[in-house]
Amino acid sequence: MAQRIDLKDLNVYYGSFLAVADVSMTIEPRSVTAFIGPSGCGKSTLLRTLNRMHEVIPGARVEGKVEMDGVDLYGSDVDAVAVRRQIGMVFQRPNPFPTMSIAENVLAGVRLNNRRIGKDEASELVEKSLQGANLWNEVKDRLDRPGSSLSGGQQQRLCIARAIAVKPQVLLMDEPCSALDPISTLAIEDLMDQLKKDYTIVIVTHNMQQAARVSDRTGFFNIAGTGKPGKLIEMDDTRTMFSTPSEQATEDYISGRFG
Amino acid sequence: MSSTDQQPTRPAPPAGLRALVERRTSRDLAGRLFSATATGAGALILVTLAAVAVFLVVRAWPAMTTPAEELADAISWIPEGTTLLGYVGPLVFGTLLAAVLALALAVPVATGIALFISHYAPRRLASPLGYVVDLLAAIPSVIYGLWGGLWLAPRLLPAWQWLADNLGFIPLFREPASTPPRVIMTVGVVLAVMILPIITAVAREVFLQTPRLHEEAALALGATRWEMVRMAVIPFGRSGLISAAMLGLGRALGETMAVFMILSPGFTYSFELLQAGQHQTIAANIANQFAEANPLGVSALIATGLALFVITLAVNTAARWVVARRKDFSGAN
């Protein structure tokens, strides 16, 4: 179910502006990979190229290769919509559909696949996905209430349930805890630890402690200055990155000397 | 100086604080003024509504209290043996039928145009198109009515004949289609043209308000553009779309000239959309009879106006109810 992703010489553009330059890396299956770095260094942009959400913005484009299991996601015969069904995403701010109930939110992606799923199968999937997102016990009595009636942390876990309900290969998380309180953050971090048994997880975070806590590998991004492209400075096992990084800039950043 | 020190004797506040106190009272005045103006404006609309209702009831009263035989004797265009209610009924039916036809034709088209502008058109095309639609919405609907009535309506005949020939087995389209097409279906089309711009303009504005977050949520789940529209944009814009339709309906219900010019009137409860001499609307009927009506006739016409007033209120209340019923799911929270 989980697959590895290889990035090869990836350049990411907004129109003519080069936002991220020359990234090559490997994202291992069944592990958590964290992207850290100062604001504007392109880590969220890079994350959004992995499921082709980057190109949703007018003028945005990519050069280079993103290969999942050897298939180039930007190949001419690959459909962006199909890519997004394989690679789920959780956003910075919780975004359940306000016009749908909790259960409908979980099923939103499944229904897209045109699968006419039966009532029993649907409720089973809702329960399994919500349990997978550690939310079942809190919402099982109000599945028909609107998704927006939940707290921020619950909404974010609902979004995770919605993402895993379609059984993606990879789960991308763009600062999933930055709008949440510490308790909800802890709940999501615990969840990531469980989810990595089945999924490849990539998380962008501003919180270095979080990267240190949850990830197996960490990539550090930086920019030379405003208007310059972001670059991958260093990528290694998280333990190595936070103890003996090989680049001075990494050490400066994780020890809080800038950023 | 802490506030507790001041408590027993309340000495005058120091200069800096005094300025604050004075400023506060002047702001209080502004606040009171604003709240009074706002309350007054709010009250004014209720008073106007009440005044209209009272006027309609008072002026319609003579006709409502006159016995049926006397009414039919005194008013040439009320047939013998018809009560006032019997006279108003077909008019109400015709008015609603015309308006429903217009809405049924205009809302899907308007939604399509609005979605095209807000979510499908390339950006260079979308903003000029948006301006054009807003401009079109600002033009009084009678202009479209003139075009529809004089140019479009005669050209609809082949379409109605085709409908009657091929779908004539459905009572709605019973053949033969009247020639010339001075029928309720033509009125529906022309009214639809008249209300299309305003519905489109409001719907476009509503669709543009869809939060980017929700659109991206749908796309990230692997939705195509149309699926994204269906999942995030239309549900989010639903209440706004209903409001837009109500705005259009209000115009369609009250429209006089287009109906007056096109429709060959009749007073029946008929669903035969392609037959002339079956229907009439309240507004067009008032325009038609008012000039030659005697005092009791005017009173009867005002009674039909009262019916129109009640219909409008009822329809709007129903729309509010539909919107409020799913308030929790509106995304407003």
Side-chain angles (χ1 to χ4, degrees):
Chain A
M1 200 141 135
Q3 286 178 335
R4 80 184 239 157
I5 299 177
D6 291 296
L7 280 65
K8 290 178 184 163
D9 308 323
L10 199 69
N11 289 315
V12 188
Y13 294 87
Y14 289 104
S16 59
F17 172 65
L18 179 60
V20 182
D22 203 21
V23 174
S24 297
M25 67 162 73
T26 296
I27 295 165
E28 298 292 345
R30 291 193 180 77
S31 68
V32 177
T33 303
F35 292 174
I36 60 169
S39 294
C41 68
K43 52 198 190 304
S44 287
T45 301
L46 186 69
L47 188 79
R48 289 169 62 98
T49 62
L50 300 184
N51 66 341
R52 296 189 62 171
M53 278 298 283
H54 175 64
E55 65 202 67
V56 167
I57 297 158
R61 65 198 167 83
V62 164
E63 284 170 3
K65 278 187 174 171
V66 179
E67 288 182 354
M68 185 163 80
D69 224 27
V71 178
D72 184 8
L73 298 182
Y74 285 89
S76 55
D77 54 344
V78 174
D79 182 11
V81 169
V83 170
R84 293 181 202 134
R85 289 186 186 183
Q86 298 291 314
I87 305 182
M89 187 163 197
V90 176
F91 293 81
Q92 187 170 354
R93 277 176 50 208
N95 56 356
F97 296 113
T99 53
M100 295 183 193
S101 70
I102 292 171
E104 285 167 346
N105 259 292
V106 175
L107 293 172
V110 184
R111 297 232 194 269
L112 279 181
N113 295 328
N114 272 334
R115 266 199 284 147
R116 290 241 151 273
I117 62 171
K119 220 172 165 191
D120 294 342
E121 203 186 336
S123 55
E124 201 175 301
L125 183 62
V126 167
E127 177 171 350
K128 218 176 108 212
S129 306
L130 286 171
Q131 259 163 358
N134 270 338
L135 188 61
W136 175 251
N137 286 329
E138 291 158 68
V139 302
K140 62 182 173 196
D141 302 322
R142 45 177 172 150
L143 292 173
D144 55 345
R145 297 295 302 143
S148 48
S149 67
L150 300 174
S151 75
Q154 290 172 326
Q155 286 189 21
Q156 195 63 302
R157 276 178 284 152
L158 177 58
C159 292
I160 294 174
R162 180 175 68 186
I164 61 178
V166 292
K167 303 188 176 66
Q169 314 272 356
V170 180
L171 200 56
L172 307 178
M173 301 177 125
D174 187 0
E175 299 184 44
C177 302
S178 65
L180 306 183
D181 68 274
I183 304 218
S184 307
T185 301
L186 196 64
I188 304 244
E189 287 181 6
D190 286 346
L191 180 57
M192 272 188 258
D193 210 45
Q194 294 167 24
L195 289 175
K196 76 174 183 185
K197 290 192 200 86
D198 299 312
Y199 302 97
T200 304
I201 297 178
V202 186
I203 175 174
V204 165
T205 178
H206 266 257
N207 180 332
M208 279 177 285
Q209 284 80 12
Q210 183 171 59
R213 280 194 300 265
V214 301
S215 72
D216 302 298
R217 286 175 66 77
T218 299
F220 170 61
F221 292 78
N222 203 358
I223 36 171
T226 325
K228 302 258 174 52
K231 286 196 163 114
L232 175 63
I233 303 297
E234 181 177 3
M235 186 165 186
D236 211 330
D237 285 343
T238 299
R239 200 168 299 157
T240 316
M241 286 287 278
F242 281 89
S243 54
T244 52
S246 44
E247 297 284 333
Q248 185 62 40
T250 314
E251 192 174 342
D252 287 351
Y253 184 74
I254 59 174
S255 59
R257 244 166 272 168
F258 80 98
Chain B
M1 190 188 288
S2 78
S3 60
T4 43
D5 293 343
Q6 293 181 12
Q7 281 307 330
T9 52
R10 279 229 176 243
L17 267 182
R18 197 175 309 131
L20 281 181
V21 170
E22 275 160 18
R23 190 143 159 242
R24 168 122 189 266
T25 50
S26 77
R27 280 172 67 180
D28 268 4
L29 184 69
R32 275 204 300 273
L33 209 67
F34 175 74
S35 106
T37 318
T39 313
L44 191 66
I45 193 75
L46 286 178
V47 169
T48 312
L49 194 70
V52 169
V54 167
F55 161 84
L56 286 173
V57 171
V58 167
R59 296 293 298 273
W61 194 252
M64 292 197 288
T65 48
T66 308
E69 314 86 68
E70 277 180 49
L71 203 66
D73 282 342
I75 305 171
S76 58
W77 28 266
I78 293 189
E80 206 62 46
T82 304
T83 61
L84 185 65
L85 227 53
Y87 179 67
V88 174
L91 284 173
V92 169
F93 175 79
T95 306
L96 284 177
L97 186 61
V100 166
L101 279 176
L103 268 195
L105 294 170
V107 168
V109 178
T111 308
I113 300 174
L115 279 177
F116 174 74
I117 296 174
S118 67
H119 284 87
Y120 284 87
R123 251 205 292 187
R124 263 186 312 164
L125 190 64
S127 47
L129 266 179
Y131 284 124
V132 169
V133 168
D134 281 348
L135 259 170
L136 290 178
I139 297 173
S141 55
V142 69
I143 309 287
Y144 302 109
L146 277 173
W147 173 77
L150 296 176
W151 187 88
L152 182 63
R155 285 164 179 76
L156 287 172
L157 183 59
W160 298 163
Q161 277 168 342
W162 183 89
L163 270 180
D165 289 347
N166 293 284
L167 297 171
F169 59 90
I170 304 172
L172 283 178
F173 305 121
R174 193 175 66 81
E175 51 189 341
S178 297
T179 324
R182 300 184 156 279
V183 298
I184 194 88
M185 194 71 178
T186 311
V187 170
V189 171
V190 173
L191 286 180
V193 171
M194 297 172 79
I195 64 179
L196 192 62
I198 185 75
I199 301 181
T200 308
V202 175
R204 172 187 146 262
E205 202 58 47
V206 169
F207 291 147
L208 282 176
Q209 302 297 322
T210 315
R212 186 90 193 123
L213 265 176
H214 299 153
E215 295 178 5
E216 290 204 336
L219 289 175
L221 283 172
T224 61
R225 188 132 50 147
W226 163 237
E227 285 165 338
M228 181 264 281
V229 163
R230 231 179 33 190
M231 251 173 141
V233 179
I234 293 180
F236 185 83
R238 190 173 154 276
S239 65
L241 199 58
I242 291 177
S243 301
M246 286 305 112
L247 210 58
L249 182 69
R251 284 190 172 196
L253 283 174
E255 184 47 50
T256 315
M257 287 319 292
V259 183
F260 186 58
M261 289 187 315
I262 296 167
L263 192 61
S264 143
F267 291 80
T268 66
Y269 297 97
S270 159
F271 279 104
E272 290 166 358
L273 306 180
L274 303 178
Q275 304 297 317
Q278 309 268 331
H279 310 94
Q280 176 65 309
T281 71
I282 292 174
N285 186 58
I286 292 177
N288 198 16
Q289 312 285 15
F290 199 84
E292 291 149 32
N294 56 23
L296 198 58
V298 169
S299 178
L301 290 177
I302 290 178
T304 65
L306 179 62
L308 186 57
F309 184 77
V310 172
I311 293 173
T312 318
L313 282 186
V315 167
N316 271 292
T317 311
R320 292 252 156 201
W321 178 76
V322 169
V323 170
R325 213 168 35 122
R326 286 193 39 108
K327 195 170 67 170
D328 290 351
F329 289 88
S330 71
N333 44 352

